[in-house]
Amino acid sequence: LLSCRLYCEEAKDPKRRSCQTVLAEALDIIIRSFAPILPHLAEEVFQYIPYKKDSEGVFRTGWINASSAWKKPGIEEAIEGACAMRDSFLGSISGKNALEYEVIIVIEPGLLFELMEALQAEETSSVSQLNEIMMASQTTLLSELPKETPSDANIIKGTFLINLEGGDICEQSSYKVIAQPIAKAKCPRCRRYTAEASSTPCPRCLQVLAAGKGST
């Protein structure tokens, strides 16, 4: 997830910038957490942070002060639900390369489906947050099994308990995960199987490369 956003997206793309923001926030919290135990190490790391504008030191800039903007209702449950489905998917392919597969997730209309829609607005995507979490080349989110599902398809079933607002909202939802080999070619740039030919970058990478040429 991190490597794809950092190395494959355009330099100023919001996905890449948001990833950098999370890494910066995580580093700041880690440094301040171990500063009382390892003060010299914490101070050395703090002084080498390239984007810090102040030079007062870690002990003069206060304790951990995480913004309340990070706490968004439903985000934690959405990520945990997606990770549960990812574990089902990875378990079904027995250690094979996840990028060689496309995933179909089927969830009946309800709270879990709405949480997954927050991670993937489109029905099918290779660049959504949900697909990044699934680690596949393409993810499809549906409310019912597609009619063309083969009779011998390996359908993995699971359940996920959603607990929101301290237990005031509690719902157990079931889901189905179908993994099938993807028919597209491997992109020579991002290594996902989303290209029309192995010698040509996928549409997302072509767009990023074109934007890079335009800015030079």
Side-chain angles (χ1 to χ4, degrees):
L1 174 58
L2 293 181
S3 61
C4 182
R5 288 194 176 193
L6 290 174
Y7 299 114
C8 296
E9 299 291 354
E10 188 181 353
K12 295 183 179 180
D13 187 279
K15 288 184 179 180
R16 184 175 186 274
R17 297 293 291 152
S18 65
C19 182
Q20 291 176 311
T21 300
V22 171
L23 290 174
E25 184 74 11
L27 177 60
D28 185 82
I29 291 175
I30 291 172
I31 293 172
R32 296 182 193 280
S33 297
F34 68 67
I37 306 171
L38 300 168
H40 299 293
L41 177 60
E43 185 61 37
E44 183 177 3
V45 174
F46 189 82
Q47 292 299 331
Y48 274 94
I49 296 177
Y51 48 82
K52 287 290 184 184
K53 295 182 180 180
D54 57 73
S55 58
E56 294 184 355
V58 66
F59 291 99
R60 293 181 179 271
T61 54
W63 183 236
I64 297 170
N65 185 26
S67 172
S68 59
W70 292 98
K71 298 180 180 180
K72 294 184 178 180
I75 292 297
E76 182 178 353
E77 287 72 19
I79 299 299
E80 289 180 350
C83 287
M85 297 174 199
R86 179 193 62 194
D87 292 343
S88 297
F89 160 55
L90 295 178
S92 71
I93 60 175
S94 304
K96 297 178 182 177
N97 184 1
L99 290 175
E100 295 179 359
Y101 289 82
E102 61 176 321
V103 179
I104 300 174
I105 299 174
V106 182
I107 309 171
E108 293 183 358
L111 186 53
L112 182 59
F113 187 86
E114 292 175 5
L115 291 175
M116 293 305 106
E117 279 189 315
L119 300 177
Q120 178 169 302
E122 309 87 351
E123 183 177 281
T124 299
S125 177
S126 60
V127 296
S128 68
Q129 295 181 69
L130 179 58
N131 186 66
E132 289 177 339
I133 294 171
M134 296 302 294
M135 300 169 62
S137 280
Q138 180 176 286
T139 296
T140 299
L141 179 62
L142 302 173
S143 58
E144 58 182 14
L145 279 173
K147 296 179 180 179
E148 63 273 14
T149 303
S151 57
D152 59 345
N154 183 20
I155 303 176
I156 302 94
K157 299 180 180 180
T159 59
F160 181 74
L161 178 63
I162 301 170
N163 197 331
L164 292 172
E165 299 183 8
D168 291 340
I169 300 176
C170 190
E171 180 179 302
Q172 182 155 336
S173 301
S174 60
Y175 62 84
K176 299 181 181 72
V177 175
I178 305 172
Q180 52 191 35
I182 195 163
K184 294 185 178 180
K186 181 192 287 187
C187 172
R189 182 174 181 270
C190 69
R191 301 299 181 185
R192 287 183 174 176
Y193 289 76
T194 51
E196 297 302 323
S198 58
S199 59
T200 306
C202 66
R204 187 273 300 270
C205 287
L206 285 173
Q207 184 177 356
V208 172
L209 292 171
K213 291 180 180 178
S215 61
T216 56

